[in-house]
Amino acid sequence: MTTSANQLRADDRLKVMPYLPNYKTCPKTYLTPLGALQHLTLGNHLNNVYNKKLGLLSDKWSEADISIESTGYTRTLQSSLALLYGFLPQFDFSKFYIKLSHWLNFCQKNCQCSAAHKYAQQVDEERYELIKNDVGLKESLDVINTILDVGSSYKPRANHVQDALTPFVCHHRRLPCGPKECLKVEHLGGIINHTKMVAAVTNQEGKPLEKLVRLSMHPMLQRIVSGMESAVLGNDSVKFTLFSGHDLTVSPLIDVLTLPNHTWPPYASRVVFELWREDQTSSYFIKVLYNGENLTKHVRFCQGFTNDIGLCPWKRFFEFVTEENLGVFNSTTYLEACQTKHSQHN
């Protein structure tokens, strides 16, 4: 894959970004070489499963067969290209177009949501109380401050420390050092335990986080349902849609779906929605996979509805997005649900 500026067909903001990781300097917003390899490997795996085994895309695929969208960050563009290079039969820049999303939830219109902002504030307040009362977290942060000699007055947020140090661990690099010694993985234990505890406490039915993820991810779920509905009705030729986003896209999506054993998405995580048709009855079903594991039976709207091969009736997904999800806010439209005055008693 070369980087000629005239090859990529994309919205203007994406078109000026570098397509490949810079392994010499590794700028902050770039995909790392290891990250690129992860996505290339993932693309090859998806190619083997969906194209070679199931015949989703042939060597003669066209632009009408795929839809690609990325947020406006270098690493998400590079992630999408690395995955596509492994996934597409006969990779060709000229045969696809990458659209820019200005929102992490891939919202297209009426994206400002005051009610979601209100719930986000409530989530932050709940997390702050948990931070104040977590002795193990304070001990871990104090040890890190002492080793790095940054002073006891410096009080970094736990998630910022975790975000800063995780790449060292994942890339098998030595952790940062202070004047006398270097950090070790065990020094991060209190932070990791805190992250797990916060997820367990805040991610419960009826709490502000549950309402926040319902609202924040509704635009994305609506787009996925609309695409599938077009396929069911025979009005759309798109066979593969890719949304290249962030952990802040994947994590609330996992939460709103109620997928199990989730704390925070690993690098290169993926949530896959598959649409299936039963030939004998022409009935449609969906399958939901997280990092390759079929978790459909755990999905909020599929619990108790999956068949003996782990598929969920497509209509359950449709009903959840068009009726049930917004019904929690006594609303029938996303715009209505996002009005703070409408949701203040929920």
Side-chain angles (χ1 to χ4, degrees):
M1 182 164 60
T2 59
T3 58
S4 169
N6 295 320
Q7 283 187 311
L8 182 64
R9 298 172 57 240
D11 289 345
D12 289 343
R13 180 173 166 184
L14 298 175
K15 202 181 267 189
V16 299
M17 293 179 179
Y19 310 157
L20 300 177
N22 187 327
Y23 69 92
K24 293 182 180 179
T25 61
C26 199
K28 185 176 179 181
T29 61
Y30 283 33
L31 189 67
T32 66
L34 181 58
L37 179 60
Q38 280 184 293
H39 285 285
L40 283 167
T41 303
L42 174 57
N44 279 323
H45 167 70
L46 297 178
N47 178 41
N48 287 330
V49 172
Y50 291 109
N51 298 329
K52 294 182 179 179
K53 183 178 179 180
L54 298 175
L56 183 68
L57 297 176
S58 71
D59 290 348
K60 296 181 179 179
W61 65 272
S62 69
E63 182 176 355
D65 292 327
I66 65 174
S67 174
I68 314 298
E69 199 162 332
S70 171
T71 58
Y73 293 81
T74 304
R75 61 185 177 274
T76 52
L77 174 66
Q78 292 174 343
S79 295
S80 66
L81 289 172
L83 186 143
L84 291 170
Y85 191 79
F87 172 71
L88 293 174
Q90 308 297 325
F91 179 89
D92 185 346
F93 272 116
S94 67
K95 290 178 65 176
F96 61 85
Y97 187 97
I98 302 181
K99 292 168 285 192
L100 170 67
S101 173
H102 296 282
W103 296 85
L104 300 188
N105 61 357
F106 295 88
C107 181
Q108 290 182 307
K109 62 180 181 179
N110 300 322
C111 298
Q112 296 288 353
C113 187
S114 58
H117 180 67
K118 182 196 74 170
Y119 291 128
Q121 289 179 320
Q122 293 175 0
V123 170
D124 285 343
E125 291 168 2
E126 186 176 16
R127 287 173 174 168
Y128 178 70
E129 290 299 318
L130 293 172
I131 290 172
K132 284 199 309 181
N133 298 313
D134 192 334
V135 177
L137 173 65
K138 182 180 183 302
E139 291 176 349
S140 283
L141 292 176
D142 286 345
V143 168
I144 292 172
N145 281 1
T146 300
I147 292 175
L148 298 181
D149 194 27
V150 295
S152 58
S153 62
Y154 180 59
K155 302 295 183 183
R157 294 181 63 172
N159 62 312
H160 291 172
V161 176
Q162 184 170 332
D163 286 345
L165 297 180
T166 297
F168 290 91
V169 177
C170 291
H171 290 83
H172 307 290
R173 300 289 181 89
R174 185 181 68 183
L175 288 167
C177 298
K180 298 181 180 180
E181 62 178 311
C182 297
L183 291 177
K184 298 178 181 179
V185 174
E186 50 262 36
H187 293 141
L188 309 182
I191 297 175
I192 295 171
N193 291 336
H194 175 78
T195 301
K196 293 179 179 179
M197 180 270 291
V198 169
V201 172
T202 59
N203 193 12
Q204 297 178 16
E205 201 79 12
K207 285 209 167 188
L209 180 61
E210 192 246 346
K211 294 177 181 178
L212 173 61
V213 297
R214 279 179 178 271
L215 277 179
S216 62
M217 296 315 297
H218 189 81
M220 187 174 193
L221 292 173
Q222 197 167 37
R223 292 191 62 185
I224 296 170
V225 158
S226 295
M228 287 187 170
E229 184 181 24
S230 294
V232 168
L233 298 175
N235 297 331
D236 197 346
S237 63
V238 174
K239 298 177 180 178
F240 173 79
T241 298
L242 172 65
F243 296 106
S244 184
H246 306 257
D247 51 1
L248 293 175
T249 308
V250 174
S251 187
L253 180 59
I254 291 171
D255 287 340
V256 77
L257 295 174
T258 63
L259 302 186
N261 304 322
H262 160 59
T263 302
W264 203 253
Y267 289 141
S269 286
R270 67 192 187 277
V271 179
V272 176
F273 291 79
E274 298 177 354
L275 179 65
W276 291 80
R277 187 186 70 182
E278 185 179 56
D279 289 337
Q280 290 183 340
T281 63
S282 295
S283 299
Y284 285 86
F285 299 85
I286 66 164
K287 181 191 289 187
V288 180
L289 303 97
Y290 176 52
N291 290 334
E293 184 180 0
N294 180 7
L295 297 178
T296 310
K297 67 180 181 180
H298 299 286
V299 172
R300 183 190 300 273
F301 48 84
C302 288
Q303 294 173 15
F305 289 94
T306 53
N307 61 18
D308 56 358
I309 58 172
L311 299 179
C312 173
W314 135 256
K315 67 177 183 178
R316 285 296 306 130
F317 189 17
F318 182 83
E319 290 167 351
F320 174 76
V321 175
T322 59
E323 300 174 17
E324 297 168 12
N325 192 44
L326 297 181
V328 171
F329 306 96
N330 299 317
S331 304
T332 57
T333 68
Y334 182 65
L335 186 61
E336 183 184 15
C338 282
Q339 295 173 2
T340 307
K341 62 180 181 181
H342 190 80
S343 59
Q344 61 186 351
H345 298 299
N346 288 300

